[in-house]
Amino acid sequence: DSRVFQTVDKLGRVLNCAAADITSGRYRISLYRFLAETVPVIGACVSTWARLSAAPGKFTIQDSSSKSEEDRAMGILSQLTERFYHSAPGNPASLVTFLTNVFTGLYRDGVIGGFLAVKKDGSGVDRFLPVDSSTLTVNRESDTLRLEMELEKGVLPLDRADFYYVPMHSDMSRPLGRSILQTIPFVTYIEQQLVDDMRRSSHNSGFHRLHVKVSPPERISGESDEAYIERINSYFDSTVSMIKSCQVDENPVTWDNVSIECIGPDNVRTVTNSWFVNHRAMIEEICAGTNLAPFLLGYSYGATTTWSAFKFDLVMRQVRSVQAQVAVMLEWIGNIELALAGSNLQCRFEFDNSF
């Protein structure tokens, strides 16, 4: 029934939301977004999963008995992919952009959702309007769990036909899904503290420098004090100028009264290796928390072709499981578009994970 759907104008007035209050665990999503935007390794993990999942894809028609009807349906779906998603400024965006944003939000926040708006004449889908995941809550006061959206004007029930949401790893305790960043905030704090300690320790101990020692030449017999001081100062200045002007591939040449030493903190290599090992352990913990186990990142030594193929297959199995959830949402959108266009055919969305 197309009457359950609304236009963009009506939905826009309803979705005037502002997530000002931190309620119902909303702070978690804010924390996950902060970590993904400020900690490089976490941003890289989220981006890696999102880019792997946002593979090219296409709609296909199921059980069509007429070639002409199938061609018409494919034309309708092709036009749908060019208009159903708009960027934040309101410009039409491609399906690849939509998928990248969907998977980024899904991995980072643990859930994505949105409303499907129809054209004013009801002839088809206008666009998909994503909502801020931090405004989604679950009402546990009733006998059954009820999904709601917190707005400035109150609470909007989401048990409606024009809303669709995709949770990641949801269960009875977390119906809104689980972010892949759920297990890493504490480890991330330790890692960032370690980096700050490394910075402060290096600043305190300093770095190695060259110490040039110039012994004054012997005094010539009968040389006055003024002439001797002028001569040794001139020799000192010329030696300093020569050292400063030496290029990387040049060597200083002096008399044997000039010595060059290296001064700085002792056991710097041992200290550096210790910092590196400790920091690497924290990085591995963070990556493992985002389902990128350390052995998947090349930290397994002596990897063979069979071992590499196993790691790739393991990653792609996780990607396909998440893609299946998003594919169902795209099929929901595509089937509504076909129904509004007067077609009885059903569609499927398939990702192409070939390389």
Side-chain angles (χ1 to χ4, degrees):
D1 188 357
S2 61
R3 289 176 294 180
V4 300
F5 298 96
Q6 301 181 19
T7 63
V8 173
D9 297 336
K10 293 183 179 180
L11 282 173
R13 290 192 292 268
V14 175
L15 300 179
N16 184 19
C17 56
D21 300 328
I22 300 179
T23 57
S24 304
R26 187 178 305 168
Y27 68 92
R28 292 192 185 95
I29 292 181
S30 300
L31 173 61
Y32 299 153
R33 293 176 180 178
F34 172 78
L35 293 176
E37 293 173 357
T38 56
V39 181
V41 65
I42 297 179
C45 288
V46 173
S47 178
T48 297
W49 280 120
R51 296 293 178 179
L52 282 174
S53 302
K58 63 179 180 179
F59 285 101
T60 58
I61 302 299
Q62 298 297 304
D63 303 328
S64 174
S65 58
S66 173
K67 184 68 165 88
S68 60
E69 290 183 2
E70 180 178 350
D71 292 341
R72 175 175 175 270
M74 288 301 299
I76 294 173
L77 295 175
S78 177
Q79 295 177 6
L80 172 67
T81 57
E82 296 176 356
R83 72 169 188 273
F84 85 101
Y85 179 67
H86 287 219
S87 61
N91 300 323
S94 65
L95 180 61
V96 175
T97 303
F98 172 73
L99 292 175
T100 302
N101 293 339
V102 164
F103 284 113
T104 299
L106 190 58
Y107 284 112
R108 182 193 60 203
D109 302 339
V111 61
I112 58 99
F115 291 88
L116 192 64
V118 298
K119 297 179 180 178
K120 294 182 179 180
D121 58 1
S123 61
V125 172
D126 186 5
R127 70 185 69 169
F128 182 79
L129 301 176
V131 300
D132 187 354
S133 302
S134 64
T135 61
L136 300 179
T137 61
V138 175
N139 187 343
R140 301 176 182 269
E141 297 178 357
S142 58
D143 295 336
T144 59
L145 299 179
R146 188 175 66 177
L147 187 63
E148 297 178 341
M149 182 177 180
E150 295 184 350
L151 306 171
E152 286 184 343
K153 299 178 181 180
V155 176
L156 176 67
L158 296 178
D159 50 348
R160 43 193 290 172
D162 61 344
F163 180 80
Y164 196 98
Y165 81 106
V166 179
M168 187 173 186
H169 306 314
S170 62
D171 52 28
M172 291 300 297
S173 62
R174 288 288 178 85
L176 286 180
R178 299 171 182 265
S179 168
I180 63 171
L181 307 182
Q182 181 176 337
T183 61
I184 66 172
F186 178 70
V187 178
T188 303
Y189 170 76
I190 298 177
E191 185 268 339
Q192 292 296 293
Q193 186 66 47
L194 180 62
V195 172
D196 185 61
D197 291 344
M198 291 168 60
R199 176 191 63 82
R200 296 171 61 185
S201 177
S202 298
H203 178 76
N204 181 59
S205 60
F207 298 91
H208 286 92
R209 292 178 173 85
L210 293 180
H211 184 199
V212 181
K213 298 179 179 180
V214 181
S215 300
E218 296 182 0
R219 188 169 185 172
I220 302 175
S221 177
E223 186 177 23
S224 63
D225 293 340
E226 293 79 3
Y228 177 66
I229 293 174
E230 182 179 358
R231 184 166 63 86
I232 62 175
N233 286 339
S234 176
Y235 179 73
F236 180 83
D237 293 339
S238 62
T239 303
V240 171
S241 298
M242 179 193 62
I243 296 296
K244 288 183 176 181
S245 62
C246 273
Q247 300 297 324
V248 177
D249 57 347
E250 295 179 349
N251 299 307
V253 179
T254 66
W255 300 106
D256 59 358
N257 61 345
V258 177
S259 63
I260 301 176
E261 298 178 355
C262 185
I263 59 174
D266 296 332
N267 300 324
V268 64
R269 181 177 296 275
T270 303
V271 174
T272 302
N273 289 341
S274 175
W275 281 118
F276 174 77
V277 172
N278 293 336
H279 185 246
R280 174 171 166 174
M282 293 296 100
I283 294 297
E284 291 183 0
E285 287 293 318
I286 293 175
C287 293
T290 63
N291 295 331
L292 284 173
F295 71 88
L296 295 176
L297 303 178
Y299 289 152
S300 53
Y301 301 98
T304 62
T305 302
T306 303
W307 180 240
S308 299
F310 166 75
K311 294 192 291 184
F312 176 78
D313 183 63
L314 183 59
V315 169
M316 293 310 299
R317 284 179 182 269
Q318 298 185 59
V319 166
R320 292 189 186 98
S321 65
V322 180
Q323 286 177 339
Q325 293 180 278
V326 177
V328 174
M329 181 184 71
L330 293 172
E331 292 167 6
W332 173 73
I333 298 174
N335 288 328
I336 292 176
E337 170 71 2
L338 291 176
L340 293 176
S343 175
N344 295 325
L345 298 178
Q346 298 287 312
C347 70
R348 289 184 61 84
F349 189 88
E350 299 176 352
F351 286 93
D352 181 10
N353 294 311
S354 61
F355 288 91

